[in-house]
Amino acid sequence: MAQRIFVTGGAGFIGSHTVLALLRARYDVHVFDNFHNSSPRALRRVTELTGAPIGTTEGDVRSMRDLSAAVDAFRPDAAIHFAGLKAVGESEAEPLEYYTTNVQGTVNLLRAMDKQGSRRMVFSSSATVYGTPSYLPFDEAHPINPSNTYGRTKAMAETVIRDWCHANGDAGAMLLRYFNPVGADESGRIGEDPTGRPDNLMPFIAQVAVGRRQKLSVFGDDYDTRDGTGERDYIHVSDLARAHVAAVERVLERPGCDSCNVGTGQGVTVMEMIRAFERASNRRVPYKVVDRRAGDLGSYYASTERARDVLGWSPEMDLHEMCASTWNWQQQNPNGYRDG
Ligand code: NAD
Ligand code: UDP
């Protein structure tokens, strides 16, 4: 019998790629999503790619009743908890929405899993929990000191999960701290589809290259980096999806709570990303240097040793593949899932 994985937020960017990887690894998957920031079309396309059915519940993690009913019906062996809100700026303006969805939503999921007697889970955390670097690369022992509301909701949810594990000897959790997920499945059928103006660099560049936006604003060129522009550790979403499959295997095998960074360990600056995208797409990406974005850090990247040692996982896809797959998705779907 295939093991059953309950995936909150499974229709989203990272969730849909992970559902694809789980189905290919022969897990039975049930997605729980309110489609606040995603489309059921993503799941239909994953089914087209795999031929495997995906059970789906349209529900809200803020509702204990929705969650409990879906968990009770599916009886999962483990959960992956992607559902959440992720925009840093919005989290400063709407903190209560962020605490309710990201922290209370996590408590609700743990309660629903407890009730069902299934205490294994993988959690979508973020490199944002580290805050300003005391040293680089960030390793998992780096102090947790997030500098914005979104990061604090993730750090709090991590604490909730860790305490839940300590209280229940049979509970197992893996906290995955993602760096900057980008790229798309090689088919070009699923990808990142931000609503409105993208906050993040890669979808913005892709929309400029495809002609949906005129030019990119480069937020500052006076950081202490190779070319003065901000440096981040970008990770291909298909590599990230594989990390979730490895994490699910790990939590199914043993109890206890652990955390792993998921990045490549390589920093890439904004200018380097623009150039790499131009090469991959054969298009120009017009840009203009503007002031720094409030709250931005100059540079950070991951130590990847722990993910290799604990999960047996390493990234396989390089910067060119990140740009080429984003371009393939953007060209095939200039308006994301809105085209059908
Ligand atoms: P996404 O917005 O594409 O996916 C989140 C999914 O959760 C969406 O399908 C959305 O509809 C769903 N959702 C939101 N609120 C919900 C609610 N109340 N009830 C049920 N479903 C709800 O985002 P993503 O980029 O795929 O991110 C997935 C997770 O990874 C999030 O928790 C995010 O904070 C975390 N993360 C993302 C990044 C990134 O840069 N993309 C980096 C670090 C961590
Ligand atoms: N960035 C930029 N222009 C944009 C969006 C982002 O110059 O329109 C820069 C940003 O300052 C940072 C990097 O690109 O140095 C990555 O930003 P993103 O918002 O994608 O990720 P995060 O800041 O959350 O790591």
Side-chain angles (χ1 to χ4, degrees), residues 24-315:
R24 287 188 172 147
R26 308 238 170 268
Y27 286 98
D28 191 356
V29 174
H30 191 94
V31 169
F32 181 94
D33 201 305
N34 68 354
F35 304 111
H36 166 77
N37 194 36
S38 58
S39 165
R41 288 195 177 115
L43 297 174
R44 285 206 281 280
R45 291 185 180 190
V46 172
T47 294
E48 280 165 28
L49 290 170
T50 57
I54 305 168
T56 307
T57 299
E58 183 167 351
D60 195 312
V61 293
R62 291 170 295 182
S63 160
M64 190 64 222
R65 185 190 297 193
D66 284 1
L67 264 176
S68 233
V71 167
D72 286 350
F74 184 58
R75 290 181 293 105
D77 295 294
I80 307 182
H81 185 32
F82 292 107
L85 302 174
K86 63 169 185 176
V88 172
E90 189 184 58
S91 76
E92 299 297 326
E94 307 272 353
L96 302 185
E97 288 304 321
Y98 273 67
Y99 283 106
T100 308
T101 302
N102 292 2
V103 182
Q104 186 64 47
T106 302
V107 173
N108 288 345
L109 176 62
L110 296 178
R111 274 196 201 286
M113 298 286 285
D114 263 349
K115 192 154 129 312
Q116 182 56 41
S118 165
R119 296 196 180 86
R120 301 295 159 110
M121 74 116 66
V122 177
F123 177 63
S124 293
S125 189
S126 167
T128 321
V129 298
Y130 295 123
T132 306
S134 306
Y135 57 83
L136 286 172
F138 280 135
D139 59 26
E140 291 76 358
H142 187 281
I144 301 294
N145 188 19
S147 53
N148 56 58
T149 302
Y150 166 69
R152 282 187 286 276
T153 68
K154 287 290 174 186
M156 249 178 229
E158 282 199 6
T159 303
V160 168
I161 295 166
R162 203 172 287 110
D163 286 347
W164 171 78
C165 274
H166 285 155
N168 296 284
D170 62 336
M174 178 57 70
L175 313 172
L176 293 181
R177 295 179 182 149
Y178 315 154
F179 280 65
N180 287 56
V182 295
D185 182 60
E186 62 178 2
S187 66
R189 295 295 290 156
I190 56 172
E192 185 169 14
D193 181 22
T195 46
R197 191 183 167 83
D199 287 325
N200 295 113
L201 180 65
M202 185 66 124
F204 207 105
I205 288 181
Q207 292 192 5
V208 171
V210 85
R212 245 173 95 178
R213 297 187 187 272
Q214 272 193 335
K215 69 169 69 135
L216 171 76
S217 294
V218 174
F219 297 144
D221 65 354
D222 55 354
Y223 287 107
D224 183 16
T225 60
R226 285 180 292 286
D227 55 27
T229 63
E231 182 183 38
R232 294 288 184 276
D233 182 341
Y234 297 92
I235 174 78
H236 196 297
V237 66
S238 300
D239 275 335
L240 180 54
R242 279 194 307 105
H244 286 82
V245 176
V248 161
E249 281 166 12
R250 164 100 184 173
V251 298
L252 285 171
E253 269 166 20
R254 70 182 81 188
C257 185
D258 215 333
S259 56
C260 282
N261 291 335
V262 191
T264 63
Q266 303 294 320
V268 173
T269 68
V270 175
M271 285 312 302
E272 288 166 348
M273 184 61 96
I274 293 172
R275 298 299 174 226
F277 203 93
E278 288 184 333
R279 277 194 298 277
S281 64
N282 214 11
R283 294 278 178 106
R284 299 273 302 135
V285 177
Y287 68 88
K288 181 171 180 240
V289 177
V290 300
D291 287 346
R292 290 180 176 195
R293 184 169 64 181
D296 261 0
L297 296 169
S299 171
Y300 62 86
Y301 41 92
S303 160
T304 57
E305 277 172 38
R306 195 164 173 75
R308 194 189 54 225
D309 294 348
V310 172
L311 300 176
W313 170 91
S314 308

